[in-house]
mmCIF file of all heavy atoms in Angstrom:
data_model
loop_
_atom_site.group_PDB
_atom_site.id
_atom_site.type_symbol
_atom_site.label_atom_id
_atom_site.label_comp_id
_atom_site.label_asym_id
_atom_site.label_seq_id
_atom_site.Cartn_x
_atom_site.Cartn_y
_atom_site.Cartn_z
ATOM 1 N N PRO Q 1 35.332 44.630 -26.801
ATOM 2 C CA PRO Q 1 34.557 43.495 -26.278
ATOM 3 C C PRO Q 1 34.849 43.260 -24.799
ATOM 4 O O PRO Q 1 36.005 43.266 -24.369
ATOM 5 C CB PRO Q 1 35.050 42.317 -27.129
ATOM 6 C CG PRO Q 1 35.512 42.946 -28.406
ATOM 7 C CD PRO Q 1 36.094 44.271 -28.019
ATOM 8 N N GLY Q 2 33.776 43.087 -24.019
ATOM 9 C CA GLY Q 2 33.913 42.863 -22.594
ATOM 10 C C GLY Q 2 33.754 44.099 -21.748
ATOM 11 O O GLY Q 2 33.717 44.018 -20.514
ATOM 12 N N VAL Q 3 33.633 45.283 -22.388
ATOM 13 C CA VAL Q 3 33.451 46.539 -21.654
ATOM 14 C C VAL Q 3 31.968 46.893 -21.612
ATOM 15 O O VAL Q 3 31.334 47.041 -22.657
ATOM 16 C CB VAL Q 3 34.254 47.689 -22.296
ATOM 17 C CG1 VAL Q 3 33.929 49.019 -21.620
ATOM 18 C CG2 VAL Q 3 35.740 47.402 -22.213
ATOM 19 N N ALA Q 4 31.427 47.030 -20.404
ATOM 20 C CA ALA Q 4 30.021 47.401 -20.244
ATOM 21 C C ALA Q 4 29.848 48.908 -20.238
ATOM 22 O O ALA Q 4 28.844 49.438 -20.730
ATOM 23 C CB ALA Q 4 29.475 46.806 -18.948
ATOM 24 N N ASP Q 5 30.805 49.630 -19.669
ATOM 25 C CA ASP Q 5 30.735 51.089 -19.618
ATOM 26 C C ASP Q 5 32.143 51.619 -19.375
ATOM 27 O O ASP Q 5 33.003 50.902 -18.854
ATOM 28 C CB ASP Q 5 29.799 51.556 -18.504
ATOM 29 C CG ASP Q 5 29.363 53.019 -18.666
ATOM 30 O OD1 ASP Q 5 29.718 53.625 -19.693
ATOM 31 O OD2 ASP Q 5 28.682 53.539 -17.771
ATOM 32 N N ALA Q 6 32.377 52.886 -19.761
ATOM 33 C CA ALA Q 6 33.708 53.455 -19.573
ATOM 34 C C ALA Q 6 33.656 54.974 -19.625
ATOM 35 O O ALA Q 6 32.814 55.559 -20.312
ATOM 36 C CB ALA Q 6 34.669 52.933 -20.640
ATOM 37 N N ARG Q 7 34.573 55.598 -18.871
ATOM 38 C CA ARG Q 7 34.818 57.034 -18.951
ATOM 39 C C ARG Q 7 36.327 57.227 -19.049
ATOM 40 O O ARG Q 7 37.090 56.602 -18.317
ATOM 41 C CB ARG Q 7 34.314 57.776 -17.715
ATOM 42 C CG ARG Q 7 32.827 57.753 -17.522
ATOM 43 C CD ARG Q 7 32.066 58.615 -18.513
ATOM 44 N NE ARG Q 7 30.652 58.632 -18.157
ATOM 45 C CZ ARG Q 7 29.791 57.673 -18.444
ATOM 46 N NH1 ARG Q 7 30.200 56.588 -19.093
ATOM 47 N NH2 ARG Q 7 28.522 57.773 -18.085
ATOM 48 N N GLN Q 8 36.727 58.121 -19.945
ATOM 49 C CA GLN Q 8 38.148 58.413 -20.082
ATOM 50 C C GLN Q 8 38.395 59.883 -19.783
ATOM 51 O O GLN Q 8 37.791 60.768 -20.391
ATOM 52 C CB GLN Q 8 38.644 58.073 -21.480
ATOM 53 C CG GLN Q 8 40.157 58.214 -21.641
ATOM 54 C CD GLN Q 8 40.588 59.578 -22.131
ATOM 55 O OE1 GLN Q 8 40.106 60.076 -23.142
ATOM 56 N NE2 GLN Q 8 41.510 60.206 -21.422
ATOM 57 N N TYR Q 9 39.283 60.154 -18.844
ATOM 58 C CA TYR Q 9 39.652 61.518 -18.475
ATOM 59 C C TYR Q 9 41.014 61.859 -19.078
ATOM 60 O O TYR Q 9 41.976 61.098 -18.944
ATOM 61 C CB TYR Q 9 39.736 61.667 -16.959
ATOM 62 C CG TYR Q 9 38.403 61.585 -16.250
ATOM 63 C CD1 TYR Q 9 37.855 60.356 -15.917
ATOM 64 C CD2 TYR Q 9 37.694 62.742 -15.916
ATOM 65 C CE1 TYR Q 9 36.634 60.262 -15.261
ATOM 66 C CE2 TYR Q 9 36.473 62.664 -15.260
ATOM 67 C CZ TYR Q 9 35.956 61.426 -14.936
ATOM 68 O OH TYR Q 9 34.738 61.339 -14.293
ATOM 69 N N THR Q 10 41.078 63.002 -19.718
ATOM 70 C CA THR Q 10 42.341 63.545 -20.197
ATOM 71 C C THR Q 10 42.803 64.585 -19.183
ATOM 72 O O THR Q 10 42.043 65.492 -18.833
ATOM 73 C CB THR Q 10 42.174 64.194 -21.574
ATOM 74 O OG1 THR Q 10 41.694 63.213 -22.496
ATOM 75 C CG2 THR Q 10 43.489 64.758 -22.072
ATOM 76 N N CYS Q 11 44.044 64.457 -18.720
ATOM 77 C CA CYS Q 11 44.556 65.318 -17.649
ATOM 78 C C CYS Q 11 45.849 65.988 -18.111
ATOM 79 O O CYS Q 11 46.823 65.308 -18.452
ATOM 80 C CB CYS Q 11 44.841 64.498 -16.395
ATOM 81 S SG CYS Q 11 43.421 63.528 -15.818
ATOM 82 N N PRO Q 12 45.896 67.348 -18.139
ATOM 83 C CA PRO Q 12 47.123 68.023 -18.534
ATOM 84 C C PRO Q 12 48.192 67.930 -17.458
ATOM 85 O O PRO Q 12 47.877 67.854 -16.263
ATOM 86 C CB PRO Q 12 46.673 69.473 -18.730
ATOM 87 C CG PRO Q 12 45.495 69.626 -17.833
ATOM 88 C CD PRO Q 12 44.804 68.282 -17.814
ATOM 89 N N CYS Q 13 49.435 67.933 -17.879
ATOM 90 C CA CYS Q 13 50.562 67.957 -16.949
ATOM 91 C C CYS Q 13 50.771 69.405 -16.505
ATOM 92 O O CYS Q 13 51.100 70.277 -17.328
ATOM 93 C CB CYS Q 13 51.805 67.414 -17.626
ATOM 94 S SG CYS Q 13 53.303 67.576 -16.629
ATOM 95 N N GLU Q 14 50.576 69.688 -15.233
ATOM 96 C CA GLU Q 14 50.638 71.059 -14.730
ATOM 97 C C GLU Q 14 52.017 71.669 -14.907
ATOM 98 O O GLU Q 14 52.144 72.862 -15.210
ATOM 99 C CB GLU Q 14 50.221 71.093 -13.256
ATOM 100 C CG GLU Q 14 48.757 70.772 -13.020
ATOM 101 C CD GLU Q 14 47.809 71.776 -13.653
ATOM 102 O OE1 GLU Q 14 48.204 72.955 -13.793
ATOM 103 O OE2 GLU Q 14 46.688 71.376 -14.029
ATOM 104 N N ALA Q 15 53.069 70.892 -14.735
ATOM 105 C CA ALA Q 15 54.420 71.435 -14.885
ATOM 106 C C ALA Q 15 54.667 71.901 -16.322
ATOM 107 O O ALA Q 15 55.263 72.960 -16.555
ATOM 108 C CB ALA Q 15 55.449 70.382 -14.484
ATOM 109 N N ALA Q 16 54.199 71.120 -17.282
ATOM 110 C CA ALA Q 16 54.354 71.498 -18.686
ATOM 111 C C ALA Q 16 53.536 72.743 -19.008
ATOM 112 O O ALA Q 16 54.001 73.655 -19.712
ATOM 113 C CB ALA Q 16 53.931 70.341 -19.585
ATOM 114 N N LEU Q 17 52.316 72.812 -18.485
ATOM 115 C CA LEU Q 17 51.446 73.960 -18.713
ATOM 116 C C LEU Q 17 52.073 75.231 -18.147
ATOM 117 O O LEU Q 17 52.079 76.288 -18.805
ATOM 118 C CB LEU Q 17 50.079 73.686 -18.082
ATOM 119 C CG LEU Q 17 48.953 74.693 -18.316
ATOM 120 C CD1 LEU Q 17 48.707 74.911 -19.794
ATOM 121 C CD2 LEU Q 17 47.670 74.204 -17.641
ATOM 122 N N ASP Q 18 52.622 75.152 -16.952
ATOM 123 C CA ASP Q 18 53.256 76.323 -16.327
ATOM 124 C C ASP Q 18 54.468 76.789 -17.125
ATOM 125 O O ASP Q 18 54.699 78.008 -17.278
ATOM 126 C CB ASP Q 18 53.680 75.983 -14.897
ATOM 127 C CG ASP Q 18 52.495 75.791 -13.956
ATOM 128 O OD1 ASP Q 18 51.391 76.246 -14.309
ATOM 129 O OD2 ASP Q 18 52.680 75.183 -12.880
ATOM 130 N N ALA Q 19 55.252 75.845 -17.649
ATOM 131 C CA ALA Q 19 56.440 76.205 -18.425
ATOM 132 C C ALA Q 19 56.066 76.925 -19.716
ATOM 133 O O ALA Q 19 56.732 77.891 -20.123
ATOM 134 C CB ALA Q 19 57.256 74.948 -18.736
ATOM 135 N N VAL Q 20 54.997 76.487 -20.362
ATOM 136 C CA VAL Q 20 54.542 77.132 -21.596
ATOM 137 C C VAL Q 20 54.044 78.541 -21.294
ATOM 138 O O VAL Q 20 54.394 79.504 -22.003
ATOM 139 C CB VAL Q 20 53.436 76.293 -22.260
ATOM 140 C CG1 VAL Q 20 52.796 77.069 -23.407
ATOM 141 C CG2 VAL Q 20 54.005 74.976 -22.771
ATOM 142 N N ARG Q 21 53.244 78.696 -20.265
ATOM 143 C CA ARG Q 21 52.714 80.019 -19.915
ATOM 144 C C ARG Q 21 53.824 80.997 -19.540
ATOM 145 O O ARG Q 21 53.681 82.207 -19.721
ATOM 146 C CB ARG Q 21 51.722 79.879 -18.753
ATOM 147 C CG ARG Q 21 50.381 79.324 -19.171
ATOM 148 C CD ARG Q 21 49.496 79.076 -17.981
ATOM 149 N NE ARG Q 21 48.115 78.794 -18.364
ATOM 150 C CZ ARG Q 21 47.256 78.152 -17.594
ATOM 151 N NH1 ARG Q 21 47.632 77.722 -16.389
ATOM 152 N NH2 ARG Q 21 46.023 77.936 -18.012
ATOM 153 N N ALA Q 22 54.910 80.469 -19.021
ATOM 154 C CA ALA Q 22 56.042 81.317 -18.641
ATOM 155 C C ALA Q 22 56.902 81.701 -19.842
ATOM 156 O O ALA Q 22 57.886 82.438 -19.699
ATOM 157 C CB ALA Q 22 56.894 80.609 -17.600
ATOM 158 N N GLY Q 23 56.553 81.216 -21.016
ATOM 159 C CA GLY Q 23 57.308 81.553 -22.213
ATOM 160 C C GLY Q 23 58.610 80.807 -22.364
ATOM 161 O O GLY Q 23 59.499 81.234 -23.109
ATOM 162 N N GLU Q 24 58.737 79.638 -21.707
ATOM 163 C CA GLU Q 24 59.984 78.878 -21.771
ATOM 164 C C GLU Q 24 60.126 78.064 -23.056
ATOM 165 O O GLU Q 24 61.201 77.545 -23.348
ATOM 166 C CB GLU Q 24 60.076 77.947 -20.553
ATOM 167 C CG GLU Q 24 60.137 78.688 -19.224
ATOM 168 C CD GLU Q 24 60.127 77.746 -18.034
ATOM 169 O OE1 GLU Q 24 60.269 76.510 -18.245
ATOM 170 O OE2 GLU Q 24 59.970 78.229 -16.903
ATOM 171 N N ASN Q 25 59.051 77.942 -23.818
ATOM 172 C CA ASN Q 25 59.051 77.197 -25.087
ATOM 173 C C ASN Q 25 59.656 75.805 -24.957
ATOM 174 O O ASN Q 25 60.566 75.414 -25.706
ATOM 175 C CB ASN Q 25 59.804 77.963 -26.182
ATOM 176 C CG ASN Q 25 59.103 79.241 -26.573
ATOM 177 O OD1 ASN Q 25 57.897 79.369 -26.408
ATOM 178 N ND2 ASN Q 25 59.864 80.201 -27.085
ATOM 179 N N PRO Q 26 59.150 74.994 -24.027
ATOM 180 C CA PRO Q 26 59.722 73.654 -23.846
ATOM 181 C C PRO Q 26 59.409 72.746 -25.035
ATOM 182 O O PRO Q 26 58.407 72.912 -25.719
ATOM 183 C CB PRO Q 26 59.017 73.144 -22.581
ATOM 184 C CG PRO Q 26 57.703 73.866 -22.574
ATOM 185 C CD PRO Q 26 58.004 75.235 -23.123
ATOM 186 N N GLU Q 27 60.296 71.796 -25.269
ATOM 187 C CA GLU Q 27 60.043 70.752 -26.266
ATOM 188 C C GLU Q 27 59.288 69.635 -25.549
ATOM 189 O O GLU Q 27 59.834 68.970 -24.667
ATOM 190 C CB GLU Q 27 61.340 70.230 -26.846
ATOM 191 C CG GLU Q 27 62.095 71.235 -27.696
ATOM 192 C CD GLU Q 27 61.353 71.577 -28.988
ATOM 193 O OE1 GLU Q 27 60.559 70.724 -29.452
ATOM 194 O OE2 GLU Q 27 61.567 72.683 -29.512
ATOM 195 N N LEU Q 28 58.043 69.437 -25.925
ATOM 196 C CA LEU Q 28 57.179 68.493 -25.215
ATOM 197 C C LEU Q 28 56.719 67.383 -26.154
ATOM 198 O O LEU Q 28 56.120 67.657 -27.198
ATOM 199 C CB LEU Q 28 55.959 69.215 -24.633
ATOM 200 C CG LEU Q 28 56.248 70.329 -23.619
ATOM 201 C CD1 LEU Q 28 54.957 71.061 -23.261
ATOM 202 C CD2 LEU Q 28 56.894 69.754 -22.369
ATOM 203 N N GLY Q 29 56.969 66.158 -25.763
ATOM 204 C CA GLY Q 29 56.413 65.031 -26.482
ATOM 205 C C GLY Q 29 54.982 64.778 -26.054
ATOM 206 O O GLY Q 29 54.481 65.396 -25.105
ATOM 207 N N THR Q 30 54.319 63.881 -26.753
ATOM 208 C CA THR Q 30 52.917 63.580 -26.457
ATOM 209 C C THR Q 30 52.723 63.196 -24.998
ATOM 210 O O THR Q 30 51.812 63.700 -24.331
ATOM 211 C CB THR Q 30 52.431 62.429 -27.365
ATOM 212 O OG1 THR Q 30 52.514 62.850 -28.727
ATOM 213 C CG2 THR Q 30 50.990 62.068 -27.053
ATOM 214 N N ALA Q 31 53.576 62.341 -24.498
ATOM 215 C CA ALA Q 31 53.419 61.859 -23.123
ATOM 216 C C ALA Q 31 53.808 62.903 -22.086
ATOM 217 O O ALA Q 31 53.476 62.758 -20.910
ATOM 218 C CB ALA Q 31 54.257 60.595 -22.919
ATOM 219 N N ASP Q 32 54.510 63.970 -22.518
ATOM 220 C CA ASP Q 32 54.919 65.013 -21.581
ATOM 221 C C ASP Q 32 53.774 65.968 -21.253
ATOM 222 O O ASP Q 32 53.801 66.631 -20.213
ATOM 223 C CB ASP Q 32 56.078 65.824 -22.160
ATOM 224 C CG ASP Q 32 57.313 64.980 -22.396
ATOM 225 O OD1 ASP Q 32 57.582 64.106 -21.555
ATOM 226 O OD2 ASP Q 32 57.988 65.189 -23.418
ATOM 227 N N LYS Q 33 52.784 66.064 -22.133
ATOM 228 C CA LYS Q 33 51.729 67.059 -21.968
ATOM 229 C C LYS Q 33 50.501 66.534 -21.252
ATOM 230 O O LYS Q 33 49.780 67.291 -20.592
ATOM 231 C CB LYS Q 33 51.320 67.612 -23.339
ATOM 232 C CG LYS Q 33 52.402 68.423 -24.020
ATOM 233 C CD LYS Q 33 51.903 69.089 -25.289
ATOM 234 C CE LYS Q 33 51.621 68.076 -26.386
ATOM 235 N NZ LYS Q 33 51.216 68.730 -27.651
ATOM 236 N N HIS Q 34 50.196 65.248 -21.412
ATOM 237 C CA HIS Q 34 48.952 64.703 -20.877
ATOM 238 C C HIS Q 34 49.135 63.282 -20.371
ATOM 239 O O HIS Q 34 50.047 62.583 -20.789
ATOM 240 C CB HIS Q 34 47.847 64.641 -21.949
ATOM 241 C CG HIS Q 34 47.508 65.948 -22.559
ATOM 242 N ND1 HIS Q 34 48.111 66.404 -23.697
ATOM 243 C CD2 HIS Q 34 46.608 66.901 -22.184
ATOM 244 C CE1 HIS Q 34 47.610 67.593 -24.020
ATOM 245 N NE2 HIS Q 34 46.706 67.911 -23.119
ATOM 246 N N GLU Q 35 48.220 62.900 -19.529
ATOM 247 C CA GLU Q 35 48.025 61.486 -19.236
ATOM 248 C C GLU Q 35 46.543 61.178 -19.399
ATOM 249 O O GLU Q 35 45.696 62.070 -19.312
ATOM 250 C CB GLU Q 35 48.489 61.119 -17.823
ATOM 251 C CG GLU Q 35 47.690 61.733 -16.699
ATOM 252 C CD GLU Q 35 48.085 61.147 -15.348
ATOM 253 O OE1 GLU Q 35 48.475 59.971 -15.300
ATOM 254 O OE2 GLU Q 35 47.969 61.874 -14.353
ATOM 255 N N ARG Q 36 46.247 59.922 -19.665
ATOM 256 C CA ARG Q 36 44.855 59.501 -19.847
ATOM 257 C C ARG Q 36 44.501 58.506 -18.747
ATOM 258 O O ARG Q 36 45.252 57.566 -18.493
ATOM 259 C CB ARG Q 36 44.649 58.885 -21.225
ATOM 260 C CG ARG Q 36 44.945 59.872 -22.365
ATOM 261 C CD ARG Q 36 44.390 59.382 -23.681
ATOM 262 N NE ARG Q 36 44.686 60.278 -24.778
ATOM 263 C CZ ARG Q 36 44.000 61.369 -25.084
ATOM 264 N NH1 ARG Q 36 42.964 61.719 -24.327
ATOM 265 N NH2 ARG Q 36 44.335 62.119 -26.112
ATOM 266 N N VAL Q 37 43.363 58.750 -18.115
ATOM 267 C CA VAL Q 37 42.908 57.901 -17.019
ATOM 268 C C VAL Q 37 41.552 57.322 -17.394
ATOM 269 O O VAL Q 37 40.608 58.068 -17.680
ATOM 270 C CB VAL Q 37 42.806 58.688 -15.697
ATOM 271 C CG1 VAL Q 37 42.366 57.763 -14.564
ATOM 272 C CG2 VAL Q 37 44.141 59.349 -15.362
ATOM 273 N N CYS Q 38 41.454 55.997 -17.413
ATOM 274 C CA CYS Q 38 40.226 55.310 -17.820
ATOM 275 C C CYS Q 38 39.574 54.612 -16.624
ATOM 276 O O CYS Q 38 40.263 53.928 -15.852
ATOM 277 C CB CYS Q 38 40.515 54.272 -18.895
ATOM 278 S SG CYS Q 38 41.275 54.924 -20.392
ATOM 279 N N TYR Q 39 38.279 54.775 -16.512
ATOM 280 C CA TYR Q 39 37.489 54.041 -15.531
ATOM 281 C C TYR Q 39 36.571 53.117 -16.315
ATOM 282 O O TYR Q 39 35.781 53.583 -17.156
ATOM 283 C CB TYR Q 39 36.689 54.997 -14.652
ATOM 284 C CG TYR Q 39 37.578 55.843 -13.758
ATOM 285 C CD1 TYR Q 39 38.083 57.053 -14.211
ATOM 286 C CD2 TYR Q 39 37.926 55.406 -12.484
ATOM 287 C CE1 TYR Q 39 38.916 57.824 -13.412
ATOM 288 C CE2 TYR Q 39 38.754 56.175 -11.672
ATOM 289 C CZ TYR Q 39 39.251 57.372 -12.134
ATOM 290 O OH TYR Q 39 40.079 58.117 -11.337
ATOM 291 N N VAL Q 40 36.688 51.816 -16.045
ATOM 292 C CA VAL Q 40 36.027 50.810 -16.877
ATOM 293 C C VAL Q 40 35.170 49.888 -16.017
ATOM 294 O O VAL Q 40 35.628 49.385 -14.982
ATOM 295 C CB VAL Q 40 37.070 49.969 -17.646
ATOM 296 C CG1 VAL Q 40 36.387 48.884 -18.463
ATOM 297 C CG2 VAL Q 40 37.922 50.864 -18.537
ATOM 298 N N VAL Q 41 33.928 49.673 -16.477
ATOM 299 C CA VAL Q 41 33.073 48.635 -15.909
ATOM 300 C C VAL Q 41 33.147 47.443 -16.853
ATOM 301 O O VAL Q 41 32.713 47.533 -18.003
ATOM 302 C CB VAL Q 41 31.619 49.112 -15.761
ATOM 303 C CG1 VAL Q 41 30.754 47.981 -15.198
ATOM 304 C CG2 VAL Q 41 31.539 50.341 -14.873
#
């Protein structure tokens, strides 16, 4: 209620992505992998 329009962007954490691709097998929590950015009218 009160939101006229909204867009939500999901953004990967580049450091976490690079560590996985390098085969480091990091232990990543939910907040370690992504952040969410909302634009709200």
Side-chain angles (χ1 to χ4, degrees):
V3 173
D5 197 5
R7 295 288 186 280
Q8 186 268 307
Y9 291 84
T10 301
C11 305
C13 173
E14 292 297 331
L17 186 56
D18 291 342
V20 170
R21 284 174 169 158
E24 297 176 10
N25 293 335
E27 292 293 334
L28 300 173
T30 298
D32 298 322
K33 293 187 291 184
H34 301 92
E35 66 171 329
R36 299 195 181 277
V37 182
C38 301
Y39 293 88
V40 177
V41 179

